[in-house]
Amino acid sequence: MAGRISDEDIALVRERSPIADIVGEHIQLRNAGGGNLKGLCPFHDEKSPSFNVTPTRGYWYCFGCAEGGDVITFVRRLEHLSFGEAVERLANRAGIHLRYEQGGYVPGREQGERSRLIEAHRAAAEFYAAKLASPEAMIGRKFLSERGFERADAEHFGVGYAPAEWEALSRHLMGRGFTSAELIKGGLAKEGRRGPIDRFRGRLVWPIRDITGDVIGFGARKLNDAEDGPKYLNTPESPLYKKSEVLYGVDLAKREISKRSQAVIVEGYTDVMACHLSGVPTAVATCGTAFGQEHIKVLRRLLLDQSGSQGEVIFTFDGDAAGQKAALRAFADEQKFVTQTFVAVQPDGLDPCDLRVTRGEAAVRDLIASREPLFAFAIRSVISRYDVSTNEGRLSALDAAAPIVAGIKDRALRQLYGVDLDRWLGFNNERFVMDRIAEVSVNAQPAAQSQARAQRPSGPRKVAELTDPGVRTEAEVLKLAVQRPALLGPGFEAIGAEAFTLPEHVALHKLIVDAGGTAAAGPGGREWVDRLLAGVTDTMRPVVTRFAVEELRADLADEERYASAMLAALELISVARAIEQLKSRMQRTNPVEEQQEYNRLFAELVALEQQRRVLKERASGS
């Protein structure tokens, strides 16, 4: 049935979806003053937070990538949804039953594709969890019991059992109204000769959830080693499941990660369970892939990873060669974090799950507490490959470890690790070691600089524009017009468009005047911003959102005086510009031959100078 979501329901979804709560499920937000919140942008890489949220007006804006909008726009951008799908997603979260009208958006059986797949995965997780109590699942319960997990633990993490049948889940879900095409597209089933067949059969199953808690896939472990197939089998790539972006356990760990400024990376589902049950609730794991760039982005947003932060990212690896190799892969991404990174390695090779079973929960906590900096681990791992009892071995180890030290961006830290490298190798010649490291650093520098230039994002506005006092004054007046229009009153309309220099400022001034001006805007707030956004072009939408979110420079107690001063300052710039133009005309006018014109211009100049003195007093707040 064709239809569009009613406008009343869309408004209700916005009202019952607090933007701070929705955004806060994905990134850590901190108070930025003036009623604003700030965090690391989920849409581009950045070292310091430029993503702002204004809960009172329900809008967000990133000053790094110049994107912004309301809560629906945020969900659309983050999850790559259509407008209708984003509304449905938020409606489901808020418990709102949507009504559809004829024409416009076609929701496909009154639900978007993503919503249907999410529902199918939720139903599948319930099915698997219920089957864990069946007689057939005894082998799965035994597996969990041998690893120290009780029934309540399985229920907490949603662990289930996939029956050793070809179509058990498929029959169940199709009986609930889901189509075979939906099951196959979501990765729950595969195409068989006579219809869909279950992807997971005779396996213990862990639901994999996104950061909001929705099930988007599954990880399944083989219980009979004699059977064909890999030991672990994961959901394939689907519209919901992108393995390079997924961290198992992040839905349970996100609040503790933000609270403790710590994230622990382990290697498997049972390791995550063991850590959480042992008092390390910040543990997460990758799902069938190596830890990479997209995982880093997720954790940085949760950690509010910025300069000066005291956070920790701790990798746990086995003490064997494979574990060391994994740690060195992690080292390649280490400096994409601002916060400090560590490695926790159990010397006897036990992973957190086995460690908990054999030595108890305190041993798991001790493992995390025994972490060592990732730089030190990486350097020592390289050194361990060589025989440092000989000069040849020490020199080879130095040449192998030098690139790691040279790659440390922090100059002081690089110097300290150079001293450590000299001590670990036994040269007792720091100058010799540092010179060797410097040679490597110089050789690598041109390539690194070229790569940095290629990766450097182009800002939405030129630096000169951002630092020009006149442009900043224009921006403050426009922020007042959007956020506190009653403070400006009719004075804003009295200033013509010629007072603004940037094209986006001119366009916003026109938009405000066309919407009735600040005198007709009332107290402002969400309704005024919505009125400005109604019918604007895609180009102007982020501009309006930015000025609705960007913090004013005024104290709340002194906003009225500040608004008057900013209006006067903007007028003062216009008057100063007119004075310069007038003086230029007077220089081109002969006072003898064109006496009347010259006298008229002089009278205008006197009047403008008088106006400038008055405006200077108002602009200074006196």
Side-chain angles (χ1 to χ4, degrees), residues 341-591:
T341 51
F342 297 86
V343 172
V345 177
Q346 184 65 22
D348 52 16
L350 294 178
D351 59 32
C353 181
D354 292 336
L355 189 61
R356 177 173 177 265
V357 172
T358 58
R359 300 181 192 171
E361 294 178 350
V364 177
R365 295 193 295 271
D366 289 343
L367 168 64
I368 304 305
S370 68
R371 67 205 181 281
E372 72 169 312
L374 185 52
F375 281 133
F377 180 83
I379 295 167
R380 288 152 74 102
S381 294
V382 168
I383 292 174
S384 68
R385 302 173 190 168
Y386 300 90
D387 179 7
V388 295
S389 65
T390 68
N391 287 332
E392 291 80 4
R394 283 201 299 273
L395 190 58
S396 296
L398 172 58
D399 287 345
I404 297 176
V405 181
I408 299 174
K409 294 178 182 176
D410 187 304
R411 183 176 179 181
L413 197 59
R414 186 167 64 242
Q415 177 78 25
L416 290 174
Y417 274 111
V419 173
D420 284 341
L421 181 57
D422 173 57
R423 179 165 50 85
W424 291 333
L425 292 175
F427 281 111
N428 295 319
N429 189 338
E430 291 178 11
R431 174 58 63 85
F432 171 70
V433 171
M434 294 307 299
D435 287 346
R436 203 80 169 185
I437 292 169
E439 288 177 18
V440 172
S441 181
V442 169
N443 292 336
Q445 197 171 19
Q449 289 176 342
S450 176
Q451 183 180 11
R453 282 193 296 268
Q455 294 177 348
R456 189 177 297 131
S458 55
R461 290 173 288 168
K462 295 178 182 177
V463 174
E465 292 175 351
L466 293 169
T467 56
D468 181 84
V471 172
R472 289 205 304 267
T473 300
E474 294 174 25
E476 284 299 295
V477 171
L478 289 170
K479 278 191 285 183
L480 285 161
V482 174
Q483 298 179 28
R484 305 281 196 278
L487 295 176
L488 296 179
F492 180 80
E493 284 75 48
I495 298 177
E498 62 277 3
F500 300 91
T501 54
L502 292 190
E504 66 183 49
H505 290 180
V506 174
L508 182 55
H509 175 270
K510 182 178 186 303
L511 180 65
I512 293 169
V513 172
D514 290 348
T518 53
R526 177 67 181 265
E527 291 183 5
W528 171 235
V529 177
D530 287 345
R531 196 195 311 177
L532 293 176
L533 285 169
V536 300
T537 63
D538 290 341
T539 304
M540 280 302 296
R541 184 169 292 275
V543 176
V544 175
T545 309
R546 171 165 66 88
F547 284 101
V549 169
E550 188 170 354
E551 184 181 355
L552 288 166
R553 298 179 184 176
D555 293 331
L556 289 174
D558 205 25
E559 284 187 344
E560 189 170 343
R561 179 181 292 181
Y562 180 75
S564 176
M566 283 297 100
L567 268 179
L570 186 59
E571 287 185 74
L572 184 60
I573 293 171
S574 296
V575 168
R577 196 179 299 132
I579 287 173
E580 290 305 313
Q581 293 172 351
L582 195 58
K583 286 181 176 179
S584 176
R585 287 176 58 189
M586 288 179 69
Q587 287 178 349
R588 299 192 303 270
T589 303
N590 190 313

Side-chain angles (χ1 to χ4, degrees), residues 211-429:
I211 200 167
T212 67
D214 284 332
V215 180
I216 56 174
F218 295 92
R221 202 230 191 246
K222 182 168 64 174
L223 294 171
N224 186 344
D225 292 336
E227 292 182 2
D228 293 335
K231 183 177 180 180
Y232 280 96
L233 184 64
N234 287 341
T235 294
E237 294 281 307
S238 76
L240 298 182
Y241 184 80
K242 312 292 183 188
K243 64 182 180 181
S244 64
E245 302 173 5
V246 175
L247 287 168
Y248 174 72
V250 72
D251 58 307
L252 298 174
K254 63 182 180 183
R255 297 198 186 282
E256 288 298 323
I257 289 174
S258 295
K259 180 180 176 182
R260 302 186 183 202
S261 293
Q262 179 198 75
V264 176
I265 318 299
V266 297
E267 293 192 309
Y269 308 123
T270 56
D271 292 332
V272 171
M273 294 174 68
C275 283
H276 281 241
L277 295 171
S278 299
V280 185
T282 57
V284 294
T286 58
C287 301
T289 185
F291 186 81
Q293 177 67 31
E294 296 305 315
H295 301 123
I296 291 172
K297 290 179 181 178
V298 173
L299 291 181
R300 289 196 67 234
R301 294 195 297 268
L302 292 176
L303 290 164
L304 192 56
D305 185 34
Q306 60 176 318
S307 299
S309 63
Q310 300 298 312
E312 296 180 343
V313 175
I314 304 170
F315 295 91
T316 64
F317 299 106
D318 293 343
D320 57 14
Q324 290 192 2
K325 186 177 180 181
L328 292 176
R329 279 201 309 269
F331 170 78
D333 286 325
E334 193 277 344
Q335 292 180 100
K336 292 176 182 173
F337 287 105
V338 175
T339 197
Q340 195 169 357
T341 51
F342 297 86
V343 172
V345 177
Q346 184 65 22
D348 52 16
L350 294 178
D351 59 32
C353 181
D354 292 336
L355 189 61
R356 177 173 177 265
V357 172
T358 58
R359 300 181 192 171
E361 294 178 350
V364 177
R365 295 193 295 271
D366 289 343
L367 168 64
I368 304 305
S370 68
R371 67 205 181 281
E372 72 169 312
L374 185 52
F375 281 133
F377 180 83
I379 295 167
R380 288 152 74 102
S381 294
V382 168
I383 292 174
S384 68
R385 302 173 190 168
Y386 300 90
D387 179 7
V388 295
S389 65
T390 68
N391 287 332
E392 291 80 4
R394 283 201 299 273
L395 190 58
S396 296
L398 172 58
D399 287 345
I404 297 176
V405 181
I408 299 174
K409 294 178 182 176
D410 187 304
R411 183 176 179 181
L413 197 59
R414 186 167 64 242
Q415 177 78 25
L416 290 174
Y417 274 111
V419 173
D420 284 341
L421 181 57
D422 173 57
R423 179 165 50 85
W424 291 333
L425 292 175
F427 281 111
N428 295 319
N429 189 338

Side-chain angles (χ1 to χ4, degrees), residues 9-77:
D9 283 356
I10 292 172
L12 185 62
V13 165
R14 285 196 179 100
E15 180 185 329
R16 295 189 184 174
S17 303
I19 192 164
D21 293 348
I22 303 300
V23 174
E25 291 180 348
H26 300 272
I27 66 177
Q28 184 183 165
L29 294 172
R30 290 185 179 169
N31 195 325
N36 282 5
L37 303 171
K38 183 176 285 190
L40 291 172
C41 181
F43 305 125
H44 81 288
D45 287 332
E46 58 181 7
K47 292 296 184 183
S48 57
S50 59
F51 185 92
N52 285 253
V53 176
T54 305
T56 55
R57 285 182 286 279
Y59 285 95
W60 60 272
Y61 185 82
C62 175
F63 294 93
C65 61
E67 294 286 346
D70 63 5
V71 67
I72 297 174
T73 311
F74 178 80
V75 173
R76 286 187 70 182
R77 280 290 317 275

